[in-house]
């Protein structure tokens, strides 16, 4: 019996996109779904009840962050991630693979989608004198909090994620960038495939050992950067293993997102859910849904909200513009979120000027609702048979008015 | 017809304390009541619905702050303070008298209860080259935000407070400190009495002019510092005018709080509500209630919450102590607040370590609930006839365990 069961609902006539339902020990997720991020076991500035109210079906936290602070043992002792953070619905944890190599290595800046050099191999290549060292067994890295040294292996990531106890967890993978050499990408994929097998074995061992705990679903993560053959090879390799679902990770060229995701979903079994990791903007979500991904997470809605920027169907706007000072309308006409139905732009402008906590709270609520409502509308459109029309109409308006 | 109507419920047998009900155009306040402070039209880090849930009956904002940012005209255009901030219950605004002289003059530090010098006259004496200048007509001060020059007179304060539109507003008064000379205190009181008369006249004129707006209640503010004759004289002077209620303001020696407040309430009419401005700690609230004050406001609950300190019946504690790291109990056993019924100390400790917004939110909710529940219990005790027992028992425990 798997930790999560997936059933497909409607499918697109001419693309891999579909609607469906993921069933976890903590409830169902109707897909496609946008999953709010609560990196450190809290969605920044938003209480869990507000997440429920704005339509959030699950929360995704991060194994790397929670391992460093407060420690996976404390989350386990609290009854697991959901109990710890007062979230009763389904939970995800990311494996930490991305973070040990990005935050830990301090190479976040090189993750930009545009290739600006070819030094990437040096940054994460084995044996170099860097903050993060990759070897075939795992990754040694320094904490971004205090510089202390730590080591993640596939087995360590699985043990941490079992302690955290999320319903859906991810295999430990190696992150590469668009700048890595072809040779390095091949070498890395071989490692990620071997790690996936070790994760699955350790996950099965831990699940048997902890049979009293709610079953957790393990997703394998498909890497391969921008290369079609590598993406397909990685997906086929993982498809041959008994994962409950699949993550699509790593660097993806934005302009090729739909194409790259389709290489992957083309190779994956249709009866397993797929999560597109850390993506993205509205246009990326349309591409990801059409290409057959079922769940999505991204910090963008809350991150940009904290700097007074809000999403609307007419593009992204900044509440700090002078015109907002006397604008007594909501952020977005017709939006059903708590913020839009109770507050004016003038009030939010004031809260940001006054540096008040509730500025971040109220804008985060709107932006999260915006993304959730958008992906929900894609689900409805798939089921109603008019996804293509929604995509054309919605994106036409959004992209024509965005800066 | 007054803006607020007060009815006395039960009274203490041996002191001026009483229970009662204040009726405003936006609802009733059962007294004694602790009023959460939302200085800038927002209770810091707490949404209005949470304030309702934790038993908050009204919110007190500040005319000085809202005049500077966003501007009283904007609050008025939004439909008044309550509509602007999404608070449907009763509202108060402080007159700005305290702030133009403390924040504006930058002499906040000299407001300590202990006299450390006798320079206070220099700080606020007329004509000196200071940030704030008091003359018989009003106060000229510089904004603490940008140093720009402004002038408040009784009439200006009334016009601002009418624009803000709170249910209960305060007369513009001059703040003195325990360090001012006797001579200066006498001079200042004469000014505050004259200003009170001007406030009342302007309030009546504006109320007639704006008869379509909900009626606002105007409270006169009793100054007089630590001097019995001056406090009594000030209270008698204001009692002779037709105020809807009274504020007790200015510097009060903490160890003499009950005595000083009783001088004042002794002179005031029993059928009008009394608000003790900006006080205080639990022991001060017992003194204030016993001495006959009906409503109280203080920033302490939210201010200390933001630095991880929480109130309990066993005193004030800091959640950052290492012992909280693995403490899976609530902040306070038996507390009915949202935070205590949904979160552990271990989680709150984690949120503070991780610098998360919800740390401030959750601790502010507990601390506000703590103060509201405490004053509510005083009201219940007055009505049940056992206030003295509550005071002795509660304070005995609290003070014996407080640091």
């Amino acid at each position: 019996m798997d930790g999560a069961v997936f059933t497909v609902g409607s499918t697109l006539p001419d693309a891999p996109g579909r609607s469906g339902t993921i069933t976890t020990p903590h409830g169902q997720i109707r897909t496609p779904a946008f999953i709010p991020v609560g990196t450190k076991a809290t969605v920044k500035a938003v209480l869990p009840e507000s997440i429920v109210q704005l339509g959030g079906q699950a929360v995704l936290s991060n194994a790397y962050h929670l391992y460093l602070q407060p420690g996976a043992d404390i989350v386990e002792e609290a009854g697991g991630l959901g109990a710890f953070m007062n979230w009763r619905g389904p939970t995800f944890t990311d494996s930490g693979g991305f973070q040990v190599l990005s935050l830990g290595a301090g190479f976040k800046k090189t993750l930009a989608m545009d290739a600006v050099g070819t030094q990437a191999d040096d940054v994460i290549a084995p044996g170099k004198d860097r903050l993060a060292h990759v070897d075939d067994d795992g990754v040694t890295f320094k904490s971004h909090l205090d510089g202390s040294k730590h080591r993640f292996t596939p087995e360590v990531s699985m043990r941490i994620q079992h302690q955290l106890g999320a319903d859906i967890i991810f295999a430990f993978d190696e992150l590469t960038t668009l700048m890595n050499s072809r040779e390095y990408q091949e070498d890395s994929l071989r490692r990620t495939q071997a790690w996936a097998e070790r994760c699955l074995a350790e996950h099965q061992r831990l699940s048997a050992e902890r049979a009293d705990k709610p079953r957790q679903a393990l997703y394998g993560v498909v890497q391969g950067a921008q290369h079609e053959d590598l993406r397909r090879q990685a997906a086929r390799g993982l498809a041959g293993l008994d994962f409950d679902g699949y993550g699509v990770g790593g660097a993806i060229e934005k302009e090729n997102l739909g194409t790259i995701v389709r290489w992957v979903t083309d190779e994956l079994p249709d009866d397993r859910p797929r999560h597109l990791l850390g993506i993205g903007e509205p246009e990326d979500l349309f591409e990801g849904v059409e290409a057959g991904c079922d769940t999505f997470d991204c910090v963008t809605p809350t991150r940009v909200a904290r700097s007074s920027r809000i999403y609307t169907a007419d593009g992204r706007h900044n509440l700090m513009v002078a015109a907002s000072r006397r604008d007594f309308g909501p952020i977005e006409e017709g939006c059903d979120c708590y913020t839009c139905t109770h507050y004016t732009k003038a009030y939010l402008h004031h809260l940001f000027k006054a540096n008040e906590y509730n500025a971040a709270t109220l804008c985060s609520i709107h932006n999260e609702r915006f993304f959730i409502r958008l992906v929900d509308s894609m689900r409805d459109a798939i089921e109603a048979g008019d996804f293509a029309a929604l995509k054309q109409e919605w994106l036409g308006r959004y992209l024509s008015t965005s800066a």
Side-chain angles (χ1 to χ4, degrees), chain A:
Chain A
M1 173 71 192
D2 295 327
V5 176
F6 181 63
T7 55
V8 175
S10 305
T11 52
L12 291 180
D14 48 5
R18 70 269 184 95
S19 68
T21 306
I22 301 170
T23 302
T24 78
H26 290 90
Q28 294 192 324
I29 303 167
R30 293 184 60 212
T31 63
F34 185 82
I35 311 299
V37 176
T39 303
K40 302 177 185 174
T42 175
V43 178
K44 285 188 194 304
V46 184
L47 292 177
E49 287 76 9
S50 296
I51 297 294
V52 172
Q53 193 188 16
L54 60 82
Q57 301 184 75
V59 170
L60 183 146
S61 294
N62 194 272
Y64 165 86
H65 287 94
L66 295 175
Y67 158 80
L68 290 178
Q69 161 68 38
D73 55 329
I74 284 180
V75 175
E76 179 173 36
E77 213 172 322
L81 176 61
F84 185 55
M85 69 180 287
N86 180 36
W87 173 258
R88 284 134 204 254
T91 46
F92 294 66
T93 45
D94 197 351
S95 70
F98 182 91
Q99 286 74 19
V100 298
L101 283 162
S102 58
L103 297 176
F107 93 158
K108 201 173 181 184
K109 290 190 188 74
T110 69
L111 277 177
M113 294 300 175
D114 305 311
V116 292
T118 54
Q119 332 83 316
D121 288 1
D122 297 336
V123 178
I124 54 171
K128 298 262 176 173
D129 188 26
R130 295 278 172 180
L131 284 174
H133 299 268
V134 179
D135 57 58
D136 279 351
D137 184 53
V139 182
T140 302
F141 60 96
K142 286 187 177 166
S143 159
H144 75 290
L145 295 177
D146 61 7
S148 57
K149 210 167 174 179
H150 300 266
R151 184 166 173 80
F152 270 21
T153 62
E155 290 76 17
V156 168
S157 174
M158 284 301 100
R159 286 199 288 271
I160 290 168
Q161 291 190 78
H162 271 259
Q163 284 186 296
L164 297 175
D167 296 304
I168 294 171
I169 67 180
F170 288 88
F172 187 66
D173 57 335
E174 181 184 347
L175 169 71
T176 61
T177 79
L178 300 178
M179 292 168 280
N180 285 108
S181 65
R182 167 79 196 196
E183 187 192 347
Y184 192 87
Q185 299 282 10
E186 287 175 16
D187 204 40
S188 171
L189 262 202
R190 181 187 50 74
R191 256 192 305 275
T192 288
Q193 171 74 17
W195 291 359
E197 291 170 21
R198 285 166 56 188
C199 280
L200 198 54
E202 182 68 4
H203 171 64
Q204 285 164 346
R205 191 185 73 73
L206 288 168
S207 298
E209 189 178 291
R210 301 156 61 94
D212 56 316
K213 305 274 183 184
R215 289 287 288 188
Q216 297 176 271
L218 177 61
Y219 283 26
V221 178
V222 181
Q223 292 282 346
Q226 70 273 47
H227 307 289
E228 179 171 1
D229 60 334
L230 297 186
R231 283 277 177 191
R232 287 188 182 272
Q233 174 197 323
R236 274 196 304 268
L238 295 175
L241 304 175
D242 190 26
F243 282 109
D244 299 298
Y246 297 89
V248 183
I252 299 178
E253 298 156 307
K254 186 180 172 79
E255 62 275 20
N256 261 334
L257 190 140
T259 305
I260 293 170
V261 173
R262 279 206 208 193
W263 297 335
V264 169
T265 55
D266 203 31
E267 306 289 344
L268 292 176
D270 285 334
D271 65 346
R272 302 293 159 100
R274 304 147 184 167
H275 183 92
L276 184 55
L277 285 152
I279 303 289
E281 293 293 334
E283 57 274 23
D284 307 326
L285 295 170
F286 272 105
E287 293 300 321
V289 165
E290 189 169 16
C293 287
D294 305 298
T295 52
F296 304 83
D297 75 277
C298 196
V299 297
T300 297
T302 50
R303 179 172 288 166
V304 312
R306 293 196 299 280
S307 59
S308 75
R309 287 167 295 164
I310 44 99
Y311 282 86
T312 77
D314 292 318
R316 208 161 86 171
H317 304 286
N318 196 324
L319 285 172
M320 289 306 269
V321 298
S324 297
R325 190 160 169 263
R326 279 181 191 277
D327 187 335
F328 298 101
I331 291 176
E332 185 171 23
E333 287 294 344
C335 176
D336 62 0
C337 86
Y338 166 74
T339 303
C340 286
T341 52
H342 292 80
Y343 301 91
T344 60
K345 278 193 201 176
Y347 183 66
L348 297 166
H349 179 86
H350 161 63
L351 290 187
F352 276 107
K353 290 273 278 189
N355 240 324
E356 286 281 353
Y357 284 74
N358 281 338
T361 299
L362 293 172
C363 281
S364 295
I365 286 173
H366 171 77
N367 282 354
E368 286 286 0
R369 177 64 189 148
F370 176 85
F371 276 83
I372 283 169
R373 202 156 66 120
L374 176 60
V375 178
D376 285 358
S377 75
M378 295 183 206
R379 179 177 66 220
D380 292 345
I382 291 171
E383 294 184 347
D386 52 14
F387 179 83
L390 174 74
K391 183 182 174 190
Q392 188 178 13
E393 185 189 298
W394 198 98
L395 279 184
R397 178 173 171 184
Y398 181 80
L399 295 176
S400 72
T401 48
S402 288

